[in-house]
Amino acid sequence: MSTRLIDPSKPFRPVYSIYRHEYLGCLISSHVVQELDNGKLSLRYQGLYPDNFSHFSHRLDEKDKDLVYLLASVHLAEIIKRFGPKAKSETDFYRNFFKDEIKKMVGRHVNRHLSQAISLLRDREVFIMGKDGYPAKAPVEFLREKAHIEFHFLRDKERMRYFPRVYLRDRKVNLTHESNEIVVEEPAWMLHRGQLFTFEEPVEGKKLRAFLKKDFVSVSRSTEKTYFNKFVPQMIERYKVVTDGIELKYLDSFPRFRFLVNTGSSTDLSLDLRVTYGGHSFSLEPQRQYSVVVQQKGDNVTFIKIKRSRSVEKSITSLMERLSPGDDLLSWKFMNRSEGLTWLSRCIPMLRAQGIEIVQKGKNKLNFEVPKIEIQSRENGDWFDIRAVVTVSGFSIPFVQFRANILNGQRDYILPDGSVVILPDSWFTDFRHLVEIAKERDAEILSVKKYQAAVLELKAPGTGLKGKLRALAQDGKIPSAELPNGLGAELRTYQQKGFDWLDLLRKHNLGGILADDMGLGKTLQSLTLLLKEKERGVEQPSLIIMPTSLIYNWLEESQKFTPDLSILIHTGGGRTKNIEDFIPYDVVFTTYGLVRKDLKLMKDFPFHYIILDESQLIKNASSKTAKAVKGLQAVHRLSLTGTPLENTLTDLWSQMDFLNPGLFGSERFFRDYYSVPIEKDGDEARKVQLRTLLHPFILRRTKEQVVSELPPKVEKHHFCEMSMEQKKIYDETKNAYRNYLLNLKAAEFKKNKLTIFQGLQKLRQIAIHPGLVEEGAGIGLDKSGKFLEFMRLLEEILAKGSKVLVFSQYVRLLKLLETKLQEEKIIYSYLDGSTKNRQAVVNQFQNNNKNRVFLISLKAGGVGLNLTAADYVFILDPWWNPAVENQAVDRSYRIGQTKTVFSYKFITKGTIEEKIVKLQERKAKLSSDIIEVEDEIFKTLNIEDMVSLLD
């Protein structure tokens, strides 16, 4: 009978029809059938699908909708579309595609959707489909009762037979009846004489299917052993089993637990927790209600069904989950030897407390006693000698003998009796730094230099340095130092304390970093120290190394505040080639570049002080600049920087290596022990340890700490909309790079990271002005929403009579702005890396009231400028590292500023700029934890970050 469409305006009912497919087995489909006037179903029907559901939805509910969508997934056309899109026809699909793994995938797909659907069908009208396709041929009754199943295994001298028995409503079900169908495979739902039911014990359909056509399966004696070892135990464990010719026993006993430790490997540990019942041992995973053991003696076969105590096993499993070093329960079973010994030393007491027996295998037995250490120290000239003794199991061993273990991260130490003691976790943190830098005096003594005693102070208090270190750590006990008589300035309170700290470092021959915020007077505090040294009678010259742009700033301040200091400026082509020319002067000013060039001239000269300004410039220890600076000779060393950390903690190592060589060991040690654990792993303990070690050697004051001496600073994000043309260019570029990124395999990400970053840079430029990347875009303000907003705010500021600093990292952008300012006849100053007369440009802006706009390249003008005449700062493009932006703002917000400073960061909405700001907040983790610092965000971007930026 052909299908006739029904009229949705007249009564109809949804029906669900079970039918058999040649390849897919039982399927269920959804239909609507027209009602007759007497309420019965007519012969008019049609299929019900997601695309026509809305025509009939007025008589359907949400459950019908869920069913329609579920069952559409097992429709033949949908299966072919999903699993064989290249098939030319249904016949082609089943002939050429429906095999092997595809066949298994289709089976899992069908079963999953039918299993979900059948739970929704209980209160629906379900039928068996007629051979002519009519969906309501015979009704199906959903049974609430579940069937019971038991499997019989009958063994005689020739063979073993097995078969299931199914009982429904206390009556045996004839499995070979012609009406039987397995409708859902797992858990099985069976259709028998128009009744649909499932089982009390969830069973797989494949365990029943063979018995729909035959009464039993026969297994010969030659193949029964395989069944005994695999199939039969599984059946006994899961179902009720009846046997004949096979003995079946039941065991119910209390569980006992054994923890097996295999130390036989030199690189790994094998750990295994087992549970035993009546002498039978099992793994705790997976959790089971029963386990089955097979015993075969001659021709006799016995199966033992063991009831397991799931509650007791669960308590032990929960303990192992809490103790597990990883995210899954298996992470404690196989470990690197060092990590495994660490884990064992921590966890063995807890395992024993739970009554778990520890069983060891391997040559050397582990000794779980915790070794104890006693430390004594004394001054010995310029050194501190450390004598430490370890006691364990009645042995007294000099701590020096454990040094190699701690340096190599080796947790096990062989005692004189051949047993292996596990060194405490704490030794590898508390003493790792100490043994890295200490020297072995003899077989019992380690020694460190006096300035390295901060490391010793961490774990050996009472060494005699306690008071000095506390003073250096700025706890209020720094003695006040008398100011030089010739100082032409009145130091603020915090500047006096800074001078006191510098003088204390000098007294104890220690190097340190004066890391005050930009504008707080690091130059003045340093000059005050040098002047005091001159008045104490020091005749040896000191050397101050700085960026070229700061030479005249230092000269101006020295002439103003310390005119008694004689200054030699060692720059330019006419600079001296005779080192003796330095001798008559108190201070020599030079640059990092000239130290590299003149290293042969300067490396053997005995300077009194070497002071590095902007010392972050030696952050790369392998750079020629860092190597040259560290090759110079001096009695005292000092560093000045507002950002001691720009990118990573290794920036700090290089500076401390200049100031106090050896204090933090080798660069590799510092990176592995501090940088990686803190920056990558967020190790709080290492962070605290590093902060404690650094604190005596770094003096850091922020503007917020001296805010009473500065006017307020107001910072805000100023959001701008893109122009239509700008948005079109931006979206096209973003989509291209995003698709490129998403198509990369995980292994290709690192190799292509630079390409992706170039795409991000291009998006940043478009977000500012398309003219930065599109040659034909022109310079019109209407091309960029940010330009329009910038000019609007600029007009307001100029109308108030205020001055503004305008920063951008893109010189090309500044040139676009310069053109616009010239068109508007606005007086301005301009500075980028090519500007020669920097100080003259600065003075022009500072002193000319009509000049109220200063265009500045972020890199060229981010340091060394005093621009307190401005009370507004515009950051036109957000930088990856917010510390660079902060330096720009500090050109105006510094000592000498009397007005409130307003800082505006221009952000283009809906672009990468907005996401950069969020990344800054998320990635800048070290700022308040170690020393004021922000991460170089690009270095820490992973593939998820990249996708989010391009989203």
Side-chain angles (χ1 to χ4, degrees), residues 253-267:
S253 69
F254 190 79
R256 299 185 181 279
F257 299 89
R258 305 176 77 201
F259 195 73
L260 309 180
V261 181
N262 191 333
T263 59
S265 169
S266 61
T267 58

Side-chain angles (χ1 to χ4, degrees), residues 213-451:
K213 294 183 179 180
K214 58 184 176 180
D215 292 326
F216 60 85
V217 170
S218 180
V219 180
S220 67
R221 281 297 188 97
S222 63
T223 60
E224 69 176 11
K225 188 173 183 179
T226 301
Y227 277 80
F228 290 158
N229 289 331
K230 294 182 179 180
F231 180 73
V232 179
Q234 291 176 6
M235 302 301 286
I236 293 174
E237 180 184 327
R238 294 180 60 183
Y239 307 107
K240 182 179 178 180
V241 169
V242 177
T243 64
D244 186 7
I246 298 172
E247 186 176 10
L248 179 58
K249 295 181 178 180
Y250 296 89
L251 175 64
D252 189 355
S253 69
F254 190 79
R256 299 185 181 279
F257 299 89
R258 305 176 77 201
F259 195 73
L260 309 180
V261 181
N262 191 333
T263 59
S265 169
S266 61
T267 58
D268 302 292
L269 284 184
S270 171
L271 309 172
D272 192 15
L273 181 61
R274 309 282 293 179
V275 60
T276 61
Y277 292 87
H280 303 288
S281 177
F282 306 100
S283 170
L284 271 73
E285 288 293 324
Q287 295 256 319
R288 290 178 175 174
Q289 187 172 2
Y290 296 96
S291 287
V292 177
V293 175
V294 59
Q295 295 177 338
Q296 189 165 7
K297 291 183 179 180
D299 194 49
N300 297 322
V301 180
T302 301
F303 290 95
I304 304 173
K305 186 171 185 178
I306 301 168
K307 184 179 181 181
R308 294 175 61 164
S309 178
R310 297 185 69 178
S311 60
V312 178
E313 289 188 28
K314 180 62 178 176
S315 67
I316 298 298
T317 303
S318 297
L319 171 66
M320 297 309 297
E321 287 174 345
R322 293 195 300 273
L323 298 180
S324 177
D327 296 330
D328 61 272
L329 192 59
L330 294 176
S331 60
W332 55 263
K333 292 193 174 183
F334 301 96
M335 291 189 191
N336 168 275
R337 185 178 179 88
S338 177
E339 293 173 355
L341 291 173
T342 301
W343 186 84
L344 282 172
S345 65
R346 185 176 71 250
C347 298
I348 286 294
M350 288 177 273
L351 298 179
R352 282 177 167 166
Q354 293 295 320
I356 300 173
E357 180 187 1
I358 310 300
V359 180
Q360 295 193 51
K361 294 182 180 180
K363 183 179 179 181
N364 298 107
K365 302 300 182 186
L366 296 177
N367 182 330
F368 294 109
E369 182 179 334
V370 179
K372 298 178 181 178
I373 184 169
E374 292 184 7
I375 300 175
Q376 294 179 338
S377 61
R378 66 181 179 86
E379 287 192 52
N380 183 5
D382 291 334
W383 295 81
F384 260 84
D385 289 344
I386 305 157
R387 184 188 298 273
V389 177
V390 175
T391 57
V392 58
S393 291
F395 300 106
S396 293
I397 305 168
F399 179 71
V400 174
Q401 294 188 24
F402 296 88
R403 186 184 188 203
N405 287 69
I406 296 173
L407 287 174
N408 297 321
Q410 184 177 344
R411 299 304 306 271
D412 49 333
Y413 181 88
I414 301 177
L415 294 173
D417 64 359
S419 65
V420 175
V421 67
I422 303 174
L423 303 188
D425 234 355
S426 57
W427 286 20
F428 294 84
T429 53
D430 295 348
F431 303 118
R432 178 64 179 84
H433 196 136
L434 174 64
V435 298
E436 173 73 22
I437 66 176
K439 307 294 182 184
E440 289 189 31
R441 287 286 192 191
D442 55 37
E444 296 186 356
I445 294 177
L446 292 172
S447 296
V448 295
K449 293 180 181 179
K450 280 190 174 180
Y451 69 74

Side-chain angles (χ1 to χ4, degrees), residues 632-909:
L632 301 177
Q633 307 299 316
V635 179
H636 303 289
R637 298 182 177 211
L638 180 65
S639 290
L640 312 175
T641 175
T643 53
L645 289 177
E646 283 192 328
N647 299 333
T648 69
L649 287 173
T650 50
D651 297 353
L652 191 62
W653 178 86
S654 184
Q655 295 173 73
M656 294 306 296
D657 187 53
F658 161 75
L659 295 166
N660 300 301
L663 176 62
F664 288 100
S666 66
E667 183 179 13
R668 180 177 179 179
F669 161 72
F670 186 83
R671 181 182 63 250
D672 294 345
Y673 189 74
Y674 288 114
S675 295
V676 172
I678 292 172
E679 295 174 346
K680 302 297 183 185
D681 305 329
D683 191 321
E684 290 296 324
R686 295 284 169 88
K687 190 181 294 182
V688 170
Q689 185 177 358
L690 179 59
R691 183 169 57 221
T692 304
L693 289 171
L694 283 172
H695 210 43
F697 305 104
I698 299 179
L699 180 61
R700 173 70 165 145
R701 278 83 59 87
T702 66
K703 287 195 176 73
E704 287 71 24
Q705 289 174 289
V706 296
V707 71
S708 60
E709 303 189 43
L710 283 171
K713 176 173 64 172
V714 178
E715 296 179 282
K716 67 172 294 186
H717 293 162
H718 193 77
F719 291 95
C720 316
E721 299 286 348
M722 282 189 283
S723 69
M724 294 295 291
E725 182 178 351
Q726 183 181 17
K727 188 175 189 312
K728 181 175 180 295
I729 297 171
Y730 183 91
D731 288 344
E732 290 173 352
T733 306
K734 180 189 73 171
N735 291 338
Y737 278 99
R738 187 173 188 276
N739 291 338
Y740 173 77
L741 175 59
L742 291 176
N743 287 327
L744 285 179
K745 296 179 180 177
E748 299 173 330
F749 174 65
K750 285 189 177 179
K751 289 193 298 184
N752 293 272
K753 194 171 182 180
L754 182 59
T755 300
I756 301 164
F757 183 59
Q758 289 170 344
L760 298 180
Q761 294 287 57
K762 190 172 183 180
L763 288 175
R764 293 178 62 217
Q765 292 173 318
I766 297 171
I768 301 163
H769 194 299
L772 297 180
V773 294
E774 298 283 334
E775 292 293 339
I779 63 170
L781 289 178
D782 59 332
K783 305 289 184 182
S784 165
K786 183 177 286 192
F787 263 36
L788 289 170
E789 190 60 16
F790 163 75
M791 287 303 298
R792 185 186 69 79
L793 281 181
L794 182 64
E795 290 174 4
E796 288 184 14
I797 289 170
L798 296 182
K800 290 167 53 177
S802 294
K803 291 196 174 196
V804 59
L805 309 181
V806 182
F807 284 95
S808 174
Q809 63 181 296
Y810 299 111
V811 172
R812 188 174 177 191
L813 173 62
L814 296 175
K815 293 295 184 182
L816 293 178
L817 283 174
E818 187 177 29
T819 301
K820 183 62 181 176
L821 294 180
Q822 290 171 352
E823 290 176 359
E824 299 292 328
K825 296 183 169 40
I826 296 173
I827 299 174
Y828 67 95
S829 292
Y830 180 93
L831 186 148
D832 64 22
S834 63
T835 303
K836 302 297 183 184
N837 54 339
R838 290 167 58 97
Q839 195 57 47
V841 175
V842 169
N843 292 339
Q844 180 192 41
F845 177 78
Q846 284 284 93
N847 302 325
N848 183 352
N849 289 332
K850 294 183 179 180
N851 185 347
R852 287 186 275 139
V853 181
F854 202 155
L855 305 179
I856 309 173
S857 163
L858 192 61
K859 288 189 176 180
V863 296
L865 300 180
N866 233 325
L867 297 168
T868 53
D871 49 347
Y872 282 86
V873 179
F874 285 178
I875 307 291
L876 288 187
D877 37 279
W879 183 240
W880 299 104
N881 187 347
V884 177
E885 298 172 359
N886 295 337
Q887 287 183 337
V889 175
D890 286 345
R891 299 308 92 224
S892 174
Y893 189 64
R894 57 196 300 118
I895 296 300
Q897 179 61 267
T898 59
K899 302 180 290 293
T900 298
V901 174
F902 294 87
S903 170
Y904 287 80
K905 184 188 293 187
F906 285 72
I907 309 294
T908 303
K909 281 187 69 62

Side-chain angles (χ1 to χ4, degrees), residues 66 167 240 419 455 522 546 704 765 818 921 924 949:
D66 292 340
Y167 298 92
K240 182 179 178 180
S419 65
V455 178
K522 294 188 292 292
M546 65 194 77
E704 287 71 24
Q765 292 173 318
E818 187 177 29
E921 296 168 355
L949 288 171

Side-chain angles (χ1 to χ4, degrees), residues 110-126:
V110 170
N111 184 75
R112 183 171 66 254
H113 286 83
L114 290 186
S115 180
Q116 290 176 284
I118 208 162
S119 64
L120 301 174
L121 286 171
R122 287 189 180 277
D123 59 352
R124 307 288 108 166
E125 288 192 276
V126 181

Side-chain angles (χ1 to χ4, degrees), residues 517-534:
D517 264 353
M518 293 282 184
L520 296 187
K522 294 188 292 292
T523 302
L524 175 58
Q525 294 171 72
S526 305
L527 289 171
T528 302
L529 176 69
L530 295 181
L531 181 58
K532 184 65 178 180
E533 286 294 87
K534 177 174 182 173

